[in-house]
Amino acid sequence: MQNGTRAEQAGVPMRLLVANPRGFCAGVEMAVNALERMIESYGSPIYCFHEVVHNQCVVSSFEKRGVIFVDSIEQVPCGARLVFSAHGVSPAVREAVAARSLEVADLTCPLVLKVHREAQDFAAQGRMIALVGHANHDEVVGVIGEAPEQIVLVENVEQARVMQANSHARLAYLTQTTLSMDETRDIVETLKERFPDIAGPAAADICYATQNRQEAITALARESDVVLVVGSANSSNTMQLVNVAKRTGRPVYWIGDASDLQMEWFQGVDIVALTAGASVPESVVQQVVSYFRIEWNAHVDERVIKLENVHFSLPHGL
C-alpha cells in the first residue's frame, strides 16, 4: 500500500466515491441477456452484426463462447443464426439478411428503435432531417439508412451554424441516444435559432441512462480530486462521461479495466470518483474497487444519485 495521500498523513484513509447509477443500462442488459440465452439454447456458432455492445470485455467473453462478430452480412453463411447489436441497423441490412434466409434475433435497444421510427415519420412528411451525432457510429449509420437522401449529419455547433437547407424545405432534428446533454443542447439551440420552424421529437432522444450517468459523475466529480471513467475506447456514452467530468476541472482518467490503473495518478489524492459507461459489466467495476481497497486501503462510498428501475423484455422467442 502507498502512504502518500494527504488524508492518510492525517490518519484518514483515501475515499472512493462510486457513482450509482453506473454500468449496464436496460438496453445493454437486454442485449447481453438475450445473447446469453441464445448461446444456452442453440450453442455456437451465433453471428452478431457489429459488437453486441461497445465493450471489449463483453465482446471477448462472447467470442470465447463461439459468437462470431461480423461487419458485413456477406460474412454470415446462408441459413445461419444472426443477431443485430443493441445499436440497430439500416433497412438495407435487413434486406440483405432477408436475401440470405438468416434466422435473426433483433437486440436493438428500444430507445434506439424510437429514433428510427422518428426518422421514418419525418422522412414520410417530406422533411429534411438534421441528425445530431457522431459520424460512423453504428447507431448513427443505422438511422441515416432510414432516409439517406433526407438526413444530414450534424456533429457540432459549428456544423449547425453552416448547415445548408433549401429555403422551401421543412426541417426536423433527431439526436443519437448517447450524447453529452450540454453539447447536444447547444447544437439543437443553434438549429432552432437558424430554423425557428424546425420540428423535433416529442420526447428527447438522449436516453435516460446517458443522462443519469452524466448527472451522477458531475455531482461526484465536484467532491473529488480525481475522476476515473471505465469503458472501452469505442464507447460513445463513455466518451461523453469523460467529457462531462472534465468540465468540472478535475483530472480525468479513462480506463478499460483495472489493469490500466497507474499508482502515480493517486499520489497526494484524498478522494477519487468512479463511474462506468453503460456497456461496462459490474464485475469490471468491482475489480477497480478492489484495487483501491487493496492498494490504497480506500474507504468505498457508493453514492446513489438517481434510482433506475427501467427494464426491457427479451425479444420474442427468447
Side-chain angles (χ1 to χ4, degrees):
M1 182 185 77
Q2 297 295 311
N3 197 31
T5 72
R6 295 187 299 277
E8 283 178 319
Q9 292 168 4
V12 179
M14 177 190 285
R15 294 173 63 204
L16 178 68
L17 308 182
V18 185
N20 186 344
R22 64 178 178 273
F24 276 13
C25 63
V28 168
E29 183 179 57
M30 179 274 290
V32 169
N33 288 344
L35 190 49
E36 292 272 5
R37 185 75 60 87
M38 291 186 69
I39 294 170
E40 294 169 2
S41 300
Y42 306 117
S44 61
I46 293 173
Y47 291 82
C48 183
F49 186 66
H50 298 321
E51 294 183 353
V52 61
V53 297
H54 285 161
N55 183 268
Q56 192 54 51
C57 293
V58 173
V59 170
S60 295
S61 174
F62 279 125
E63 285 178 330
K64 291 174 183 176
R65 300 172 64 188
V67 177
I68 301 171
F69 294 93
V70 299
D71 293 318
S72 169
I73 298 302
E74 285 68 34
Q75 295 174 265
V76 184
C78 292
R81 188 168 280 110
L82 173 72
V83 299
F84 293 148
S85 78
H87 312 101
V89 300
S90 68
V93 170
R94 296 182 185 277
E95 291 170 7
V97 164
R100 297 178 72 82
S101 302
L102 302 178
E103 188 173 336
V104 176
D106 189 349
L107 309 188
T108 304
C109 172
L111 299 180
V112 174
L113 287 175
K114 166 184 174 290
V115 183
H116 279 256
R117 289 192 295 271
E118 291 164 345
Q120 294 165 2
D121 291 343
F122 283 141
Q125 295 169 19
R127 294 182 183 270
M128 176 181 173
I129 303 167
L131 176 60
V132 181
H134 298 304
N136 301 318
H137 188 278
D138 291 340
E139 178 184 333
V140 167
V141 171
V143 174
I144 289 176
E146 294 290 351
E149 301 301 320
Q150 293 171 250
I151 297 179
V152 176
L153 182 64
V154 179
E155 296 190 81
N156 50 51
V157 170
E158 289 70 27
Q159 290 182 6
R161 287 177 180 148
V162 299
M163 190 188 88
Q164 299 298 310
N166 186 301
S167 59
H168 301 293
R170 301 170 66 208
L171 303 180
Y173 74 87
L174 298 171
T175 75
Q176 184 179 331
T177 62
T178 55
L179 300 178
S180 158
M181 295 180 295
D182 292 338
E183 183 179 13
T184 303
R185 182 165 48 246
D186 292 343
I187 296 171
V188 170
E189 286 178 356
T190 300
L191 290 171
K192 288 180 175 179
E193 288 172 4
R194 293 193 60 214
F195 310 107
D197 295 330
I198 193 170
D205 288 331
I206 294 181
C207 84
Y208 78 95
T210 297
Q211 179 172 334
N212 290 349
R213 281 150 187 72
Q214 290 178 19
E215 290 178 354
I217 196 55
T218 298
L220 268 57
R222 290 172 179 152
E223 300 181 43
S224 306
D225 303 307
V226 168
V227 179
L228 280 178
V229 180
V230 186
S232 291
N234 62 337
S235 168
S236 173
N237 75 84
T238 301
M239 179 177 68
Q240 299 309 328
L241 285 173
V242 171
N243 292 340
V244 165
K246 284 181 177 178
R247 292 192 190 108
T248 67
R250 305 303 191 268
V252 181
Y253 298 103
W254 182 352
I255 62 173
D257 56 37
S259 68
D260 294 330
L261 292 165
Q262 299 182 32
M263 298 290 284
E264 57 265 29
W265 293 347
F266 312 111
Q267 296 291 343
V269 169
D270 294 339
I271 305 175
V272 177
L274 172 65
T275 190
S279 301
V280 178
E282 181 62 15
S283 60
V284 175
V285 176
Q286 290 307 313
Q287 289 168 8
V288 176
V289 172
S290 294
Y291 165 87
F292 281 95
R293 283 194 168 118
I294 294 169
E295 300 294 339
W296 294 94
N297 193 30
H299 171 75
V300 178
D301 181 7
E302 178 157 336
R303 291 289 190 85
V304 180
I305 305 302
K306 185 169 290 187
L307 294 174
E308 290 184 349
N309 56 5
V310 179
H311 299 283
F312 296 139
S313 300
L314 297 181
H316 181 70
L318 295 177

